[in-house]
Amino acid sequence: MTRLLGYYTVQAPWTFVYMLQQSEYSPRRFLKWFVSYPNLLTLQKRGRLELTSRAKLMLAIAYFAWAVGFIKISFLAIWFNLPMLFFGLLLLPVFCALSIFLTTLLLHILVVSPSENKQINRAKAKLSAHKATKIAVMGSYGKTSMKEILVTVLGQAKKVAATPGNKNVLISHARWVDRELEGDEDVLIFEYGEAKPGDIAKLAKFSQPQIAVITGLAPAHLDGYKNLEAVADDFAQIQKQKYLEAGQTYINDNEILKHKLKGKHYSSDGLDDWKVSEIKVDFSGTSFTLSNKTQKLQLKSGLLGAHQIGPIVVAVDIAFKLRLTKEQVIKGIAKTKPFEHRMEPRQLHGAWIIDDSYNGNIEGMKAGLELLKTLPAKRTIYVTPGLVDQGEETENIHKKLGSLIADANPTKVVLMKNSVTELIRSGMQSA
């Protein structure tokens, strides 16, 4: 009953438009979300509605449809009877969502699609003529962190530009290239997003990367892929692009990815002949020694956790490939720091809070729990709502999460109540 009431608050049309924006204004994805009958009162939001011109238009349509629907229903009730009013009110959110869906669909066919195609073609031509080294970063998790590490390290000696925020779909890339690139950049870094088969090939055809980094594989976006194998198959499309240099694919250590792609496999132990030793993690960051047959580097990063070492080693290897000096590499690593809501530490009344609230996959949560075990503290408290978009893996993933929490053995665990709470609790109790 409480869930149903969420569809009749003044906030409901706003939430509809927010989710439309989160689905990249895809009519199909928005409709799929709506028919799943989500709980609007407990909806996990990863940001705010950006009030663009398009968003304002959709808000106006949503609230107009809401008002018109209510007026029509009221008149029907007057002419017929009160049961008609009750039945009509039940359909009011459906009328609102359908209005948003149909308007978006028409706009997409008549206006958006032709305009976006022109911008994509214009940006692609500009990019084809660009002389910069192009790097693609993809994976189920850790993409933005990997991108920012590369920007920080390579930026010590090169002019580097990277796709902003988590803008990781084709039209976002095209707008960035078209509007923001100056043409004299040395390195361009593209963060690839994946939602369905074919996405990686489409992005690679546009950006034409010479280097690719695959940050890992975990259950995510399984509403668009059948299983993890399908996600890995999509990542493997990057190696079918003629632009990618042989041997210049960096792959996070994962058994499925090892069978699908060829390249350099990295982990917190190192990469090829780069070996990691003397790891130390505290609230100030992560330090370690990185060495091979010819060099030895003492590295200190502001990033928290041993899981950050693998991406740092990738950045070191790429930096040397692009002819940065040892001093520039060490200085760049020292400048890396936690990114917003991604293992971001801060103090509050003498306690340390590690904010990893942007995390949306089991591998990232595993890394957070490993960090919880290693950091010095008299008491530890773990807070989680669980994960979304886990598809048919939902039960297994959340029971595994419960087991990982039990292994980390925090003083207290706070589970934010929702549909997966009991699954997490079951995993904890079993462990």
Side-chain angles (χ1 to χ4, degrees), residues 368-376 380 404 407-409:
L369 287 160
E370 285 293 327
L371 178 63
L372 196 69
K373 285 199 296 185
T374 58
L375 289 174
T380 54
L404 291 170
D407 181 58
N409 196 27

Side-chain angles (χ1 to χ4, degrees), residues 112-288:
V112 176
S113 188
S115 174
E116 287 185 350
N117 286 338
K118 285 181 182 179
Q119 190 167 40
I120 289 168
N121 290 332
R122 186 166 63 244
K124 188 176 180 181
K126 180 179 179 180
L127 202 55
S128 296
H130 207 297
K131 302 300 182 183
T133 298
K134 303 175 184 74
I135 303 174
V137 179
M138 69 196 78
S140 302
Y141 58 90
K143 297 186 290 288
T144 302
S145 296
M146 184 74 250
K147 178 183 68 177
E148 295 298 335
I149 292 169
L150 288 169
V151 168
T152 303
V153 176
L154 301 182
Q156 297 306 301
K158 305 287 183 180
K159 183 173 181 180
V160 182
T163 52
N166 60 350
K167 304 295 185 182
N168 54 24
V169 297
L170 182 57
I171 186 57
S172 298
H173 287 186
R175 286 172 183 153
W176 174 68
V177 170
D178 191 36
R179 298 171 183 173
E180 298 185 33
L181 291 192
E182 297 174 3
D184 61 344
E185 294 86 359
D186 299 308
V187 180
L188 300 177
I189 303 173
F190 296 83
E191 180 182 332
Y192 285 13
E194 79 287 342
K196 61 184 184 302
D199 281 352
I200 298 300
K202 191 185 299 181
L203 290 165
K205 187 176 180 181
F206 172 80
S207 54
Q208 303 175 8
Q210 292 94 39
I211 300 172
V213 183
I214 303 174
T215 59
L217 184 67
H221 302 298
L222 292 185
D223 53 339
Y225 294 93
K226 291 181 179 179
N227 48 41
L228 277 180
E229 289 275 345
V231 182
D233 285 335
D234 209 27
F235 290 154
Q237 294 301 308
I238 191 69
Q239 292 199 326
K240 295 185 178 180
Q241 308 304 314
K242 62 181 180 180
Y243 318 100
L244 196 67
E245 294 180 6
Q248 292 306 309
T249 304
Y250 295 83
I251 308 159
N252 199 352
D253 208 9
N254 176 279
E255 288 303 316
I256 297 177
L257 291 176
K258 281 181 179 179
H259 288 95
K260 301 287 183 180
L261 298 107
K262 295 179 180 178
K264 301 180 178 183
H265 295 273
Y266 71 89
S267 70
S268 57
D269 294 325
L271 162 71
D272 284 352
D273 62 340
W274 286 111
K275 304 301 177 187
V276 173
S277 61
E278 300 172 341
I279 299 171
K280 182 182 177 182
V281 180
D282 57 31
F283 289 109
S284 67
T286 304
S287 60
F288 61 97

Side-chain angles (χ1 to χ4, degrees), residues 32 56 63 242 256 327:
K32 186 176 181 180
K56 289 176 182 177
Y63 279 104
K242 62 181 180 180
I256 297 177
E327 290 71 24

